[in-house]
Amino acid sequence: MAAHLKKRVYEEFTKVVQQQHEDLSTKKLRLTKPSKSAALHVDLCKATSPADALQYLLQFARKPVEVESVEGVVRILLEHYYKENDASVRLKIASLLGLLSKTAGFSPDCIMDDAINTLQNEKSHQVLAQLMDTLLVIGTKLPENPSVRMRLVEVACKHLTDSSHGVRNKCLQLIGCLGPVEKGVAKEAESQAAKDVQKIIGDHFNDQDPRVRTAAIKAMLQLHERGLKLQQAIYSQACKLLADDYEQVRSAAVQLIWVLSQLYPESIVPIPSSNEEIRLVDDAFGKICHMVSDGSWVVRVQAAKLLGSMQQVSSHFLEQTLDKKLMSDLRRKRTAHERAKELYSSGEFSSGRKWGDDAPKEEIDTGAVNLIESGACGAFVHGLEDEMYEVRIAAVEALCMLAQSSPSFAEKCLDFLVDMFNDEIEEVRLQSIHTMRKISNNITLREDQLDTVLAVLEDSSRDIREALHELLCCTNVSTKEGIHLALVELLKNLTKYPTDRESIWKCLKFLGSRHPTLVLPLVPELLSTHPFFDTPEPDMDDPAYIAVLVLIFNAAKSCPTMPALFSDHTFRHYAYLRDSLSHLVPPLRLPGRKLVSSAVSPSITPIEDPSQQFLHQSLERVYNFQHLDPRGIQELLEFTIRDLQRLGELQSELAGMADFTATYLQCQLLLIKALQEKLWNVAAPLYLKQNALASTAAKQILEETYKMEFMYSGVESRQVVIIHHMRLQAKALQLIVTARTTRGVEPLFGMCEKFLQEVDSFQRCFISELPHMQGSFVDKLLDLMPRLVTSKPSEVVKILQTTLRQSTFLHLPLPEQLHRATANIIEPTGESDNPLRFTSGLVVALDVDATLEHVQDPQGTVKVQVLYPDGQAQLIHPKPADFRNPGPGRHRLITQVYLSHTAWTEPCQIEVRLLLAYNSNRSKASTRIPKSTWSESLEALPPSENGIEGTIPFSKPVKVYIMPKPARR
Amino acid sequence: MRAEHLESAGQDVGRSCILVSIAGKNVMLDCGMHMGYNDDRRFPDFSYITQNGRLTDFLDCVIISHFHLDHCGALPYFSEMVGYDGPIYMTHPTKAICPILLEDYRKITVDKKGETNFFTSQMIKDCMKKVVAVHLHQTVQVDEELEIKAYYAGHVLGAAMFQIKVGCESVVYTGDYNMTPDRHLGAAWVDKCRPDLLITESTYATTIRDSKRCRERDFLKKVHETVERGGKVQGPLPHIYCSQQILNISHFFYRERMNLKAPIYFSTGLTEKANHYYKLFITWTNQKIRKTFVQRNMFEFKHIKAFDRAFADNPGPMVVFATPGMLHAGQSLQIFRKWAGNEKNMVIMPGYCVQGTVGHKILSGQRKLEMEGRQILEVKMQVEYMSFSAHADAKGIMQLIRQAEPRNVLLVHGEAKKMEFLRQKIEQEFHVSCFMPANGETTTILTNPCIPVDISLGLLKRETAIGPVPDAKKPKLMHGSLLMKDNSFRLVSPEQALKELGLAEHQLRFTCRVHIQDPRKEHETGLRVYNHLKGILKDYSVQHLPDGSITVESILIQATAHSEDQGTKVLLVSWTYQDEELGSYLTSLLKKGLPQGTP
């Protein structure tokens, strides 16, 4: 055996050498290394002590193994496995076997028999467990092989009787992952072990070791996830597990019960100790509610979370969760235990609100009271006042989900949710505000509730305040006092936190438009108009006054009688605000005035079409007239670019699209300009100026292409090809320019080769798109490729030049949705004249608050740049936690930037801006290249595509006045 | 196991003092005093414990659950005046706060009321020197057999439940506890320790409280309304150290949220110290406080001012919190006297009041109170009750029982009628026996002590390997010899037992004859028996030996013809006493006869 193995190893060795000869052209250096298996074999043979062998194995595990030598390595490992006496070494070997089986592209069925054989003589439990793990890996690698899986399951079943919990654990895990899911397969297999996986696993629900019990439940859940329909019989078993001593068992059991309640919601289960029956989902609901007051908070969180997704539960059960006092056993309520219920509500149990109401009454029907078994009773009351905020958050989430599906429940839970607004932990407050917003369609706030809600506006956390504004946008208020209260509190908020301005205005806009009739009686008071006297005209720049006006104007939109109450200056202010804050102030039908905007409002929807049409028409025009004379093309492009840019400004929905196309056309324009000059005919040094023009054009095109690729969300692969193509053209241009300006041929060799490599990689990346690119630059280039490879740099340049000129202009297909990533720095505002003073050498924290739109993966890409007056630039990576995601496509960056500098004599401004970092490796194109898992194979990739990193500024810079003072000694 | 109640721990919320005798060890749980009495009745009758003789000899240790005076008030009297030198166990916060309260109480009784024959400051100090502080979940070995362990109990800072364990018998004493977290403290928690006895308080045996947020809202509403109409609000604080809760609520909502202008006062002195201790023992508070402590100290109330006696006469609305909560003495009683006559004013009783105190009287509706010096005080102010007391309610008590899974429950610290109700509930719900002894009554609980026996690993492994696969959680028959030697039990293999005891081994063999009607030859009968047994005993090795005999494991069966009647065959079954089980099974099997029709 050993001799045979060694032979194999050396065979591999020679094979490798041969390959090297064959593949001389592609420089796959890695293949010259000696095979891993050989090295390992030698190492293991050298090892004298188990510790040594372990060291070798550990070292070996650090390096990846190629697919083709995996099998050889496995054989060597197995050989050593049998020879090895030390359990720890065997353990490591077993784990290595599993690791190796995971190798992509390797099919482990050839080593399965050997792996199973190793189990037979193994005495160490740890090693056995590890071997089981390995088998699990092997099994998961062979999904389409039921017979192999059956065999593995059989092996696992055999080892289920092992005395070590670790082995049993792994066996159950294996059965759960690999056990047959379809009934049919199980029948075919005549082996008795795999007859009924569910039964086998179910037997281990009563194992003596809690870890095994947990593993059994988990395996059952795994089977469920894989599509096996669990039997209802398990339900009673699972219920018993809820009383287990160990929290992980209980936690898993809660999950299992939840799964079963979703599978068999309508089946009927008996209630123990009575002859009545109940729906399974109700029973399960009661049981899970019960677990909300479990001793372990892990279980409580789990239970509270799952409650939210049990929507089939009966409504009277649901409502019980909010009432702790009603103690009658609900399950028997159906059989008219009304008397019992009366007893409880009439105060057999004291509520603790009135003294003496718990004085014992004469007659107590104790038989009907069931303190603990009452299940659903007050589960949410308990959950919401839990000590751990994790539980409270889970309870709030569950409330939210249940309230969304049941309006009556939403009404009832409102009080509880409002109370949660006063929680001590910010996350809980935030979560409950969000929850309230989600269910706001179903509810109307009472005044006292509103009071509590509005009190939160004083919170110092901006997140909470903004969430509350969002909430107020969509809440219904019942009275005019409520509206007034809300307005007063919002104005208070505005004076306390002026930065909330935008958010408050927006909030008032919705508040007004939702409650026009409630606002109407408040108008005179709000505008402080008087029937006889003229009141002074309020200051138009006052944010509070604007806030009031926003509320009134939005209410006036659907309340035509309101404008009659306005005074003259209100109309003037309306006109002003309609212009300056058009997104907040709606068009109004004002008496005695021309309806400026009434013509626009009905035609808002069709207006999109003409602009889109316009966009497409102008693009058509450009594409069609490309055979015009160069001058004409240039002019046409210039006009179109101008048009598009204007269009983008006017139509915000099309801004992304228009900008994108404009940028593309701009690139094309630059390219044409750079090419059509006559400078190419003359010796370059004479035309330095023009030369500069061409090279800057190339540079600019490169930049623009990166912007196009990374700054827009919704760019599809069709566009990416075009962008890359444009980039290739720019690179060609660069090459030509450099070839013209540099003397000597030496540097050109490298450049040419690099360029050709890029063409090559382009071809590989976009092979499927090539047919669409007839007559383009790259198309022609690929035709000439064989010639290019063999010719000298000067010839290459010449060819490139002619192809560039002759190549056609590619159409840029437009995707459905295209959005440009934008960022807006809200804070610092850049308006302050007071410099931020700090001692030089120390740091000062600058709060940065910005909104980001349409940025994918902001955590990875958005950076903050600080530019000091001395030209020093600092790049700051915000923490991932600094990004919030208030809505789809929107992000919010709230972070602190630390500034520091040496002392200045007077204050000066620094610039803060946001950058979008990109890395061409991450680009959409490179994901197409199948990446090998082992790092070594990466060497084969062309280096040119790697590591082009850069940043695109995408926000307006904001200036901050700072003043580092010299430190006093 | 016996649980004795010294005087008033049982069916009364006065003073707690319980004596537990567990497996020969005597432990005293709490050492409280009664606030309603001013004479000898305030302390438990310690002479009851040992008629004569020293307490130190009789008691193994004293455990104090928390620092409330009805749980620790008699401690200096007990240790210094009656005389006890053994260890006293309490948690660190209790040890820190307890002497302050005792000293305060001493001042009131001795300096103000001028009583003599009371413990002195020095006695408090001496008493505290005997205290051993314990950590939560720390197992303290009192002596070789007795060990105690503290669990978190909520209620007040440092309150703990104690598990007392001797051998395999154990008692859990809850003291006062709270199962719902409040603004500062977490919920009581105990692991599934399955004690033989759970001694639980039952102050709120029939109450199921509303959610705490509802209660807070109610409280504030009442305060708000009174202040609006210009009245004064008095909130007697039950215990200075759990007053933090109310202070916090009023601060949090009243001032910051409702923006009322009326001043809020609280009595000085102790509260500041209390704040200090809350900060010191931050790990004993709940998650909220621990989490927010760094950013915002919950115990700094910037709107709440210290109270001065002169303020009570100030006009206009105000809110005052003062101690003690039962209005039996001190500042709160003074304020009450001043304000009681005005119907605009309101007093909010935030907790339980012991019988005999002013608080209890006004709560039960008395409008005319007889004060010291035969004064009659007419109470016109509104009296409100608001349960802020940090005790577990009925649901909480049940929850704790469910967590601990005791075999017996004993209710103390409650009112008899209410306890009776809860007792029924517990028995019906958990099917455990529940006791509610009266004061001074002794309850004896029989336990099933388990006796640990050592077994050598080799024997254990050998025995488990025999027979079918061991089924977890089911009893399994094992063979071995029980050796009782030097007060210890050991299970050893017979050989080893013989060796140790120096005895020779005797073989014991049972034989049994079974008569079977079978006309066939002996040989054939043997074969039939073999086939029969083989068919039934699938798990055992059944062999047919060439000499015609059959072996089942080590049991031998031989078939011989009856000497007189050839038609009857005698089956000789012989087994050693180790195989008794199988052997008797076989004989009974054979006695049933062979199945007919089998060849």
Side-chain angles (χ1 to χ4, degrees), chain A residues 243 245 295 348-350 353 355 358 366 369-371 377 384-385 387-389 419 422 424 455, chain B residues 181 183 189 192 194 206 208 210 212-213 217 253 257 287 363 385 395 398 418 421 424-425 429:
Chain A
D245 285 8
E348 184 190 340
F349 281 104
S350 155
R353 277 197 216 182
W355 171 255
D358 55 348
T366 41
V369 196
N370 219 344
L371 276 185
C377 256
L384 291 178
E385 13 181 270
E387 184 189 350
M388 310 299 284
Y389 81 93
D419 280 341
N422 286 325
E424 286 87 344
Chain B
R183 287 203 160 249
W189 182 86
K192 220 171 245 193
R194 298 198 173 86
T206 55
I208 291 183
D210 247 349
K212 118 191 132 183
R213 294 178 207 276
R217 248 202 333 250
F253 293 100
R257 294 286 160 88
Q287 186 197 26
L363 272 179
Y385 172 70
K395 202 159 183 174
M398 298 300 262
K418 295 181 185 176
F421 171 77
Q424 284 180 20
K425 289 270 157 292
E429 200 72 47

Side-chain angles (χ1 to χ4, degrees), chain A residues 353 381 385 415-416 419, chain B residues 210-220 386:
Chain A
R353 277 197 216 182
V381 180
E385 13 181 270
D415 263 333
F416 291 88
D419 280 341
Chain B
D210 247 349
S211 89
K212 118 191 132 183
R213 294 178 207 276
C214 290
R215 274 181 278 144
E216 289 177 2
R217 248 202 333 250
D218 260 29
F219 167 73
L220 288 169
M386 177 77 25

Side-chain angles (χ1 to χ4, degrees), chain B residues 260-456:
Chain B
L260 284 184
K261 294 286 179 284
I264 306 177
Y265 299 110
F266 68 99
S267 48
T268 37
L270 290 178
T271 312
E272 277 159 23
K273 274 187 204 156
N275 283 345
H276 175 67
Y277 284 113
Y278 267 106
K279 286 178 209 162
L280 198 61
F281 295 108
I282 197 81
T283 49
W284 282 78
T285 57
N286 64 15
Q287 186 197 26
K288 292 172 194 170
I289 301 210
R290 290 199 300 265
K291 275 235 160 201
T292 52
F293 186 68
V294 183
Q295 295 128 24
R296 186 167 74 93
N297 184 356
M298 300 269 284
F299 303 111
E300 268 166 22
F301 310 114
K302 51 177 185 269
H303 298 307
I304 295 178
K305 289 167 230 157
F307 184 70
D308 190 280
R309 200 171 299 176
F311 291 169
D313 296 323
N314 285 1
M318 68 171 86
V319 182
V320 174
F321 297 102
T323 48
M326 302 183 195
L327 291 176
H328 57 275
Q331 209 162 33
S332 65
L333 188 61
Q334 285 172 6
I335 299 169
F336 176 73
R337 283 177 153 186
K338 281 194 178 138
W339 291 3
N342 193 339
E343 64 271 10
K344 267 200 219 164
N345 295 349
M346 180 170 71
V347 59
I348 298 177
M349 301 301 296
Y352 188 86
C353 289
V354 173
Q355 230 158 13
T357 58
V358 176
H360 189 264
K361 282 177 198 158
I362 60 166
L363 272 179
S364 43
Q366 243 176 295
R367 281 327 212 174
K368 283 187 179 159
L369 300 174
E370 193 177 335
M371 306 306 281
E372 281 163 45
R374 305 238 173 102
Q375 269 180 301
I376 301 286
L377 183 67
E378 200 172 344
V379 182
K380 285 186 187 155
M381 75 200 296
Q382 292 179 41
V383 180
E384 293 282 352
Y385 172 70
M386 177 77 25
S387 165
F388 272 102
S389 185
H391 287 273
D393 63 359
K395 202 159 183 174
I397 296 172
M398 298 300 262
Q399 210 178 322
L400 186 87
I401 296 175
R402 182 161 72 104
Q403 269 186 23
E405 291 190 3
R407 281 183 268 276
N408 296 285
V409 178
L410 195 140
L411 299 177
V412 295
H413 209 279
E415 285 166 31
K417 281 181 185 168
K418 295 181 185 176
M419 278 155 76
E420 176 58 33
F421 171 77
L422 189 66
R423 189 180 70 83
Q424 284 180 20
K425 289 270 157 292
I426 292 170
E427 293 196 336
Q428 168 201 345
E429 200 72 47
F430 298 107
H431 310 290
V432 298
S433 45
C434 182
F435 306 90
M436 35 173 289
N439 293 348
E441 190 180 319
T442 303
T443 312
T444 309
I445 290 153
L446 291 176
T447 54
N448 263 341
C450 52
I451 299 161
V453 173
D454 292 336
I455 181 169
S456 72

Side-chain angles (χ1 to χ4, degrees), chain A residues 520-646:
Chain A
L520 183 61
L522 290 172
V523 169
E525 188 190 341
L526 293 179
L527 292 177
S528 54
T529 48
H530 194 277
F532 311 125
F533 304 116
D534 270 347
T535 42
E537 182 175 334
D539 179 13
M540 198 51 243
D541 291 331
D542 182 12
Y545 180 62
I546 296 178
V548 174
L549 285 185
V550 166
L551 176 78
I552 292 175
F553 289 148
N554 278 289
K557 193 181 166 198
S558 46
C559 184
T561 53
M562 203 181 284
L565 298 167
F566 294 173
S567 51
D568 279 348
H569 55 79
T570 317
F571 289 113
R572 265 186 282 121
H573 292 166
Y574 165 73
Y576 170 66
L577 286 181
R578 175 76 193 122
D579 270 354
S580 60
L581 296 170
S582 53
H583 60 291
L584 292 171
V585 180
L588 285 184
R589 201 178 284 270
L590 295 181
R593 267 158 213 269
K594 267 201 293 179
L595 292 176
V596 192
S597 41
S598 63
V600 181
S601 51
S603 57
I604 270 178
T605 31
I607 208 162
E608 285 173 11
D609 279 332
S611 51
Q612 198 135 28
Q613 261 176 22
F614 174 75
L615 180 76
H616 285 290
Q617 273 169 2
S618 41
L619 284 181
E620 284 299 296
R621 209 169 51 208
V622 175
Y623 297 139
N624 287 339
F625 290 94
Q626 58 178 294
H627 296 299
L628 225 67
D629 66 301
R631 273 237 80 78
I633 294 180
Q634 267 188 41
E635 274 173 18
L636 181 64
L637 280 172
E638 273 163 15
F639 284 133
T640 321
I641 290 168
R642 201 194 60 205
D643 285 352
L644 286 174
Q645 277 166 348
R646 180 57 63 87

Side-chain angles (χ1 to χ4, degrees), chain A residues 579-868:
Chain A
D579 270 354
S580 60
L581 296 170
S582 53
H583 60 291
L584 292 171
V585 180
L588 285 184
R589 201 178 284 270
L590 295 181
R593 267 158 213 269
K594 267 201 293 179
L595 292 176
V596 192
S597 41
S598 63
V600 181
S601 51
S603 57
I604 270 178
T605 31
I607 208 162
E608 285 173 11
D609 279 332
S611 51
Q612 198 135 28
Q613 261 176 22
F614 174 75
L615 180 76
H616 285 290
Q617 273 169 2
S618 41
L619 284 181
E620 284 299 296
R621 209 169 51 208
V622 175
Y623 297 139
N624 287 339
F625 290 94
Q626 58 178 294
H627 296 299
L628 225 67
D629 66 301
R631 273 237 80 78
I633 294 180
Q634 267 188 41
E635 274 173 18
L636 181 64
L637 280 172
E638 273 163 15
F639 284 133
T640 321
I641 290 168
R642 201 194 60 205
D643 285 352
L644 286 174
Q645 277 166 348
R646 180 57 63 87
L647 179 71
E649 284 163 23
L650 290 177
Q651 285 288 314
S652 53
E653 310 90 63
L654 291 176
M657 205 91 83
D659 279 350
F660 189 67
T661 16
T663 319
Y664 179 61
L665 295 183
Q666 180 74 37
C667 291
Q668 187 65 28
L669 181 65
L670 284 169
L671 190 68
I672 292 171
K673 269 191 188 162
L675 284 175
Q676 59 97 25
E677 295 292 330
K678 294 181 193 84
L679 72 122
W680 304 109
N681 305 330
V682 204
L686 296 176
Y687 289 89
L688 269 177
K689 200 176 140 204
Q690 267 81 358
N691 212 338
L693 184 134
S695 65
T696 45
K699 247 185 229 159
Q700 202 181 339
I701 295 172
L702 277 179
E703 263 173 41
E704 297 287 338
T705 54
Y706 283 120
K707 272 191 196 169
M708 284 169 80
E709 192 176 349
F710 296 104
M711 249 174 78
Y712 293 87
S713 65
V715 179
E716 294 162 15
S717 57
R718 286 184 300 163
Q719 285 88 41
V720 175
V721 187
I722 310 276
I723 295 167
H724 275 247
H725 182 248
M726 182 53 83
R727 195 176 299 158
L728 204 64
Q729 279 174 309
K731 279 177 182 160
L733 186 65
Q734 235 173 359
L735 180 65
I736 298 165
V737 174
T738 356
R740 286 243 151 188
T741 45
T742 36
R743 283 155 208 276
V745 213
E746 288 307 315
L748 279 182
F749 269 118
M751 285 181 64
C752 276
E753 194 164 330
K754 203 173 144 197
F755 180 75
L756 290 179
Q757 269 177 6
E758 262 169 54
V759 176
D760 189 42
S761 73
F762 181 89
Q763 188 192 4
R764 276 190 287 120
C765 292
F766 303 107
I767 192 90
S768 59
E769 303 281 348
L770 281 181
H772 304 300
M773 306 177 76
Q774 290 295 331
S776 69
F777 171 66
V778 78
D779 190 46
K780 288 184 179 156
L781 212 58
L782 288 173
D783 287 343
L784 299 170
M785 202 60 182
R787 234 181 89 200
L788 282 172
V789 175
T790 47
S791 45
K792 284 182 206 153
S794 55
E795 276 175 61
V796 174
V797 170
K798 254 183 208 151
I799 297 168
L800 281 181
Q801 199 173 337
T802 42
T803 25
L804 257 186
R805 283 199 190 179
Q806 286 162 4
S807 61
T808 52
F809 178 35
L810 278 175
H811 286 226
L812 180 69
L814 281 178
E816 294 291 310
Q817 282 291 320
L818 199 60
H819 295 288
R820 187 191 160 122
T822 52
N824 188 16
I825 300 180
I826 303 169
E827 207 177 333
T829 47
E831 289 162 0
S832 170
D833 288 334
N834 295 332
L836 204 60
R837 291 175 192 278
F838 61 98
T839 310
S840 68
L842 300 181
V843 278
V844 65
L846 178 71
D847 286 311
V848 174
D849 180 357
T851 51
L852 316 169
E853 299 211 24
H854 307 297
V855 181
Q856 293 155 326
D857 180 32
Q859 281 94 334
T861 53
V862 176
K863 317 272 180 234
V864 184
Q865 191 188 34
V866 179
L867 268 174
Y868 292 96

Side-chain angles (χ1 to χ4, degrees), chain A residues 41-316:
Chain A
H41 181 74
V42 173
D43 277 349
L44 281 178
C45 288
K46 271 195 293 188
T48 47
S49 70
D52 266 0
L54 204 55
Q55 276 307 317
Y56 286 129
L57 286 170
L58 283 170
Q59 263 167 23
F60 174 72
R62 274 185 213 123
K63 284 187 215 136
V65 177
E66 316 79 73
V67 174
E68 47 283 13
S69 54
V70 166
E71 196 180 340
V73 174
V74 167
R75 304 250 169 253
I76 289 174
L77 284 175
L78 281 171
E79 187 197 349
H80 282 274
Y81 178 89
Y82 288 115
K83 279 195 274 178
E84 188 56 60
N85 292 322
D86 188 75
S88 57
V89 178
R90 288 208 304 277
L91 184 75
K92 185 67 205 168
I93 292 179
S95 91
L96 271 181
L97 288 181
L99 210 64
L100 286 169
S101 321
K102 274 187 198 154
T103 315
F106 172 70
S107 171
D109 46 358
C110 47
I111 60 164
M112 194 187 72
D113 288 323
D114 301 279
I116 292 177
N117 283 337
T118 52
L119 282 170
Q120 266 155 15
N121 297 321
E122 186 54 59
K123 287 283 177 290
S124 159
H125 296 301
Q126 274 171 315
V127 181
L128 264 180
Q130 187 59 55
L131 282 170
M132 276 294 165
D133 204 36
T134 305
L135 288 182
L136 176 61
V137 172
I138 294 176
T140 39
K141 283 280 282 182
L142 300 165
E144 309 85 25
N145 201 339
S147 65
V148 169
R149 286 174 158 233
M150 283 309 297
R151 217 177 128 208
L152 289 176
V153 170
E154 261 175 71
V155 170
C157 287
K158 233 181 273 168
H159 283 88
L160 270 178
T161 51
D162 196 282
S163 60
S164 155
H165 68 87
V167 182
R168 291 204 299 273
N169 235 342
K170 288 283 174 206
C171 288
L172 286 167
Q173 202 184 341
L174 192 147
I175 297 174
C177 289
L178 305 179
V181 174
E182 299 91 22
K183 283 271 168 202
V185 182
K187 269 171 199 160
E188 278 166 38
E190 70 283 25
S191 64
Q192 54 165 21
K195 226 179 0 193
D196 189 356
V197 212
Q198 285 196 52
K199 193 176 169 312
I200 296 164
I201 295 176
D203 288 343
H204 283 264
F205 280 0
N206 298 322
D207 196 279
Q208 58 181 347
D209 195 288
R211 287 163 288 197
V212 181
R213 290 199 292 273
T214 317
I217 302 174
K218 291 241 168 87
M220 200 62 107
L221 289 169
Q222 180 78 34
L223 281 179
H224 165 73
E225 252 164 54
R226 290 177 50 226
L228 182 72
K229 190 160 187 196
L230 302 184
Q231 293 150 359
Q232 206 197 320
I234 301 170
Y235 183 70
S236 56
Q237 277 179 299
C239 288
K240 276 183 208 128
L241 287 172
L242 284 181
D244 200 276
D245 285 8
Y246 290 83
E247 66 176 27
Q248 67 271 46
V249 182
R250 291 198 302 268
S251 170
V254 169
Q255 264 178 308
L256 185 60
I257 287 202
W258 178 79
V259 163
L260 287 165
S261 79
Q262 303 297 303
L263 282 176
Y264 306 96
E266 297 302 330
S267 36
I268 300 292
V269 289
I271 302 170
S273 78
S274 82
N275 50 1
E276 282 147 35
E277 288 175 330
I278 191 177
R279 284 166 74 216
L280 191 140
V281 65
D282 288 345
D283 190 54
F285 186 75
K287 291 207 159 74
I288 296 178
C289 280
H290 202 182
M291 299 311 278
V292 175
S293 48
D294 192 87
S296 147
W297 70 272
V298 182
V299 181
R300 293 202 299 269
V301 170
Q302 177 80 269
K305 265 189 193 147
L306 291 176
L307 281 182
S309 45
M310 298 182 79
Q311 265 128 14
Q312 299 108 312
V313 77
S314 325
S315 61
H316 62 280

